[in-house]
Amino acid sequence: MGMGDRLAGKVAIVTGAGSGIGRTTAIRFATEGAKVGCADRDRDGLNTTVEEIQSSGGQAVACEVDVTDEKLVEQMVAETTNAFGAVTVLYSNAGIAGSGNAGDLTLAEWEKVIAVNLTAVWLSSRACLPGMIEAGGGSIINQASVGGLIGIPGIASYAAAKAGVIGLTRQMAVEYGPLKIRVNAICPGTVPTPLVEKTYMEKGGFAATSAAGADATYEEILEGSAQRYPIGRLGMTEEIAAFALYLASDESAWTTGAIVPIDGGFTAA
Ligand code: NAD
């Protein structure tokens, strides 16, 4: 992909930039002229993303962080701000799989998924707000999921966290709209990544309830899932990154509080 300028002058943080959707989006943001703070707890994944950006002439800094840690999240914003200036785009994308029906989860399993997939989203936003307010505005993009919109068996904690992200998105959109900080959520359908493999193959996970049956291979489950999408296939990380790019750019200046499924028609069916 060639260089563009849709994010020229912007400083962005992408959490979960060491893999999957986050990596693709961090690279895309940099390709469009943003200076990117790439945040992840996985140092190797992070380094791969940052090297890829830098080797194609983009600007990025690696922030090794557990996004559930309040202090490290503040540090992530400080490191990016020190390197590039005030952060005006935040993509809260880091997340983990969460398998199990409501009745089968332990409290520890529940709390872990809520901490990473919901509390960390709020922590990251809170840490970016002062800089965005001072800069006169910004764009916060929260990663929700189709699982936050409709019931899907076997992902109770994940669905609750993602529905919480949707509530936080609407709430912050009305709280910070007057300060020109836009807050939107993306709800992806299935995009094969390491997280999806974990969700599908984990004990008690989606495989147990999928049409393909409990003994199905990962490929068979993906194949079965694709048939439930009106577009007839699963998504690609590039297709989520493209929408995140729109939300990060000034092209979406009048878009806030939007909860947007990017899901091949899954939730319309
Ligand atoms: P992925 O596993 O490929 O990437 C997630 C990244 O987040 C990893 O690099 C991981 O190290 C990082 N991460 C996890 N916990 C962290 C923590 N505590 N601190 C810092 N980094 C942490 O997964 P993905 O599919 O690219 O998922 C990205 C986001 O998209 C997640 O929020 C996920 O819930 C959401 N999502 C994915 C799909 C899908 O089908 N892939 C669908 C809907 C929503």
Side-chain angles (χ1 to χ4, degrees), residues 144-152 155-156 158-163 166 187-189 266-267:
S145 168
V146 293
L149 293 170
I150 59 171
I152 299 172
I155 54 166
Y158 185 85
K162 295 300 189 181
I166 290 169
C187 301
F266 184 80
T267 50

Side-chain angles (χ1 to χ4, degrees), residues 207-210 212-216:
T209 51
S210 95
D215 298 331

Side-chain angles (χ1 to χ4, degrees), residues 6 24-25 41 50 66 159 163 196 232:
R6 289 169 68 189
T24 303
T25 306
R41 64 180 175 188
V50 169
D66 177 342
V196 166

Side-chain angles (χ1 to χ4, degrees), residues 19 21 40 65-67 93 143-144 158 162 188 191 193 195-196:
S19 176
I21 296 168
D40 208 295
V65 59
D66 177 342
V67 289
N93 159 81
Q143 191 75 311
Y158 185 85
K162 295 300 189 181
V191 176
T193 63
L195 178 141
V196 166

Side-chain angles (χ1 to χ4, degrees), residues 2-192:
M3 301 295 274
D5 63 0
R6 289 169 68 189
L7 299 184
K10 303 220 184 274
V11 177
I13 286 179
V14 178
T15 70
S19 176
I21 296 168
R23 170 178 288 160
T24 303
T25 306
I27 293 169
R28 186 79 209 274
F29 279 9
T31 305
E32 292 291 341
K35 295 170 182 167
V36 188
C38 297
D40 208 295
R41 64 180 175 188
D42 169 9
R43 179 195 288 263
D44 291 344
L46 202 50
N47 287 342
T48 304
T49 304
V50 169
E51 277 161 26
E52 191 164 335
I53 290 173
Q54 290 173 343
S55 67
S56 45
Q59 295 192 61
V61 66
C63 310
E64 194 180 338
V65 59
D66 177 342
V67 289
T68 64
D69 183 315
E70 188 176 18
K71 286 207 173 58
L72 293 180
V73 168
E74 296 286 343
Q75 202 174 301
M76 160 185 91
V77 177
E79 277 172 23
T80 306
T81 305
N82 289 341
F84 299 134
V87 175
T88 49
V89 174
L90 167 67
Y91 188 15
S92 273
N93 159 81
I96 55 172
S99 293
N101 287 337
D104 303 327
L105 293 170
T106 66
L107 179 60
E109 286 167 341
W110 170 271
E111 285 179 336
K112 187 171 176 210
V113 172
I114 298 294
V116 181
N117 291 3
L118 175 58
T119 308
V121 173
W122 163 68
L123 280 177
S124 300
S125 276
R126 191 185 64 172
C128 285
L129 280 172
M132 288 187 181
I133 291 168
E134 206 181 319
S139 173
I140 295 173
I141 305 155
N142 292 329
Q143 191 75 311
S145 168
V146 293
L149 293 170
I150 59 171
I152 299 172
I155 54 166
S157 58
Y158 185 85
K162 295 300 189 181
V165 167
I166 290 169
L168 177 67
T169 299
R170 291 203 178 99
Q171 189 63 29
M172 286 188 60
V174 299
E175 287 175 349
Y176 294 96
L179 296 175
K180 307 281 175 289
I181 297 168
R182 302 182 296 106
V183 190
N184 295 287
I186 301 178
C187 301
T190 301
V191 176

